Each structure stands twice: as structure tokens, then as C-alpha cells.
Amino acid sequence: MSNIEERVKKIVCEQLGVKEEEVKPASSFVDDLGADSLDTVELVMALEEEFETEIPDEDAEKLTTVQEAIDYIVANL
Amino acid sequence: MSEQALALVTGASRGIGRAVAETLAKQGYKVVGTATSESGAASIREALQAVGAGNDAIVLNIADAEQTAEALKAFLAEHGTPAVLVNNAGITRDNLFLRMSDEEWNAVINTNLSGVFRVCKAMVKPMIKAKAGAIVNISSIIGTTGNAGQANYAAAKAGLEGFTRSLAQEVAARNITVNCVAPGFIKTDMTDVLPEAQKDAILSTIPSKRLGQPEEIAGAVAFLASDAAKYITGQTIHVNGGMNMG
């Protein structure tokens, strides 16, 4: 679990070019971390690659915060 | 290039597509050309492997969504992400508007416009991951000027240019360029079938007083594919002997 959390945070930092201390569980990719719509698509692509899974578009749209992404990966891995 | 850059060229069995594939191969790209038939693919393979052993060809029918998805998935698995994608494959089903059937309309829109959407759909995702790519779509002068008997073709090509500008805006920040080359009248099988009288009429409108050669389109494509053109995106370059100067 904590391992997944760390991996998700690491990818968020890499993809959005933000510092680790800025990435809180409640951080919104768009509102807090400055992602544009294509950034969020890329973020989902990076998560798919890291966790070797496919995230359907209808699920991907619901992943708006760091915690939502972590929960999704935990639930679907 | 430290590693040989990969180029995918659709509709490479003849005409402009063949010239583009051969030009890129001669410039050192690893080129994979596509054709709708096995025999077409074999002919591409033979021509391209005469330039370099690593070049290849695949069967791809962009009018068929399912076959396109499968063939391009296999292509990506075998060859990796292309640095250059040239959407050249296209068809004509000419008829005067009053006589044009739904079938003729749909066939041209499905291949020339939706087909490009499908190929881009498969290629843009890996290009975004690679943070690099150049997409060149082969449009046509007809997309700008229109042409009696080609309402379907003109609509598809004008649509392709709008598609190009939209996609270009979405991926520009990912170091991917998307442009069109719009040929005028080029000597290919597609224009060889025109009646002599129509050819003469066309020639009288071309300041250069000759049809273009496929290699003259390939030159513009190769430029847009190169690093020299990295800051050019969403554009249509017209190559037509001065037939239309905008």
C-alpha cells in the first residue's frame, strides 16, 4: 500500500514537474498541481505503464486527486 | 541520428507514397510502408529493402477500424514508436454531385478522413510518451480549390487540414508536429486515368506548365519530417507548380 502510494506520488512528480512536498493526498492535479487536460491524460498513461494495467477512459476521468489515483490503483491492481 | 529513426508511410505501394517511402529510406530512416494487399506490401518490401535491409512493409486497410487497430498494434510491438508518420493512403470515387451515391461519398470520407483519424489514434499515444514525433498528412490542392466531380474528395481533404490544425494544437507542447502537404497535379496512377482533354485543361492552369513528380512531394514531406522543421506545425505546404498561390 505505502509502496503504491510512493510510486503514484513519484509519477505525479515526474509527469507534472512538481516537488514531492507539494504532492498531498488531497492535491487536485488540475487545481493544485497545475496540470492541463493533456497532462492528466499523460499522467494516466504513465500510471498505466507503471502498474501494467489499462485504465478505461470513463475511469480515468474520475481520477482528479492524488488520493483518488492511489485508491484506484489499490482497488484495481 | 544516433539510433535509426523509424518512419511509417501509409499507401506506399505506388505514386506519392512510394516516392515518400523511398526518399525517407535514402535519407537513412528505417521505413515501414503499408499497402492494402499482400502483393502491394511485397512490392514495397522489395523496393525499400533495395535501399536498406531493415526496411519493411505491412498490410493495412485504414478503411477498416478493426484491422487498422490490430495491424498497428503489431507494428508497434515489432518496430517500436515511429519518429515520423506519413498519412498518405487515399482513394478517389469521382462523380458529379447529382450522381454521387452515398457509397461513393462514404468510401472517400471513411478512407481519406476517418482512416487518418484511426492511424493517428494508434500512433499519437506512443509519440506523446516518446515526447517526439512528426506527422505529415497528404492533403490535396482540391481541399482548397474544390473540383467539379470531387465533392467527396474535396470535403475529406479540407477536413483533413482542419483535423491537422486541431491535433497540432493538442500535441505541440509534447514536441510533436502535425502538418499537411497539399499536392497539386502530380503524375501518378491517380491522375493518369484523367481524360486527355481534362489534363490539357489542368496544364493550362499551372504556371510551371507541367505536372509535378511524386519525388517533388516527397521532398516537402522529408523537410517537414526533419528536425529543421521542428517549429513548423499546423501548416499546409502547397506543392503545385504555382497552380494556387493562396
Side-chain angles (χ1 to χ4, degrees), chain A residues 15 36 38-39 42 45 48-49, chain B residues 125-126 128-129 131 170-171 174:
Chain A
Q15 287 295 320
D36 65 21
L38 191 54
D39 287 326
E42 274 191 89
M45 279 163 43
E48 285 179 331
E49 199 155 293
Chain B
K125 202 170 178 182
I128 285 178
K129 279 187 190 168
K131 293 215 186 308
E170 290 191 26
V171 299
R174 272 66 188 173

Side-chain angles (χ1 to χ4, degrees), chain A residues 49-64:
Chain A
E49 199 155 293
E50 172 73 20
F51 295 100
E52 292 173 1
T53 180
E54 291 234 351
I55 303 176
D57 286 345
E58 58 266 32
D59 289 346
E61 284 168 14
K62 293 177 201 144
L63 305 183
T64 62

Side-chain angles (χ1 to χ4, degrees), chain B residues 214-235:
Chain B
E215 291 71 23
E216 292 175 300
I217 302 304
V221 173
F223 167 65
L224 288 173
S226 74
D227 285 346
K230 261 308 11 138
Y231 201 54
I232 301 175
T233 196
Q235 303 301 310

Side-chain angles (χ1 to χ4, degrees), chain B residues 152-195:
Chain B
N152 48 5
Y153 190 79
K157 293 302 191 183
L160 180 59
E161 292 180 14
F163 168 80
T164 297
R165 290 189 282 271
S166 297
L167 181 59
Q169 291 187 26
E170 290 191 26
V171 299
R174 272 66 188 173
N175 195 32
I176 300 168
T177 61
V178 192
N179 292 290
C180 283
V181 170
F185 280 86
I186 307 303
K187 196 174 165 15
T188 66
D189 293 351
M190 204 184 259
T191 51
D192 280 347
V193 297
L194 296 172

Side-chain angles (χ1 to χ4, degrees), chain A residues 29-49:
Chain A
F29 300 128
V30 174
D31 296 334
D32 301 321
L33 302 177
D36 65 21
S37 52
L38 191 54
D39 287 326
T40 60
V41 174
E42 274 191 89
L43 180 61
V44 169
M45 279 163 43
L47 290 171
E48 285 179 331
E49 199 155 293

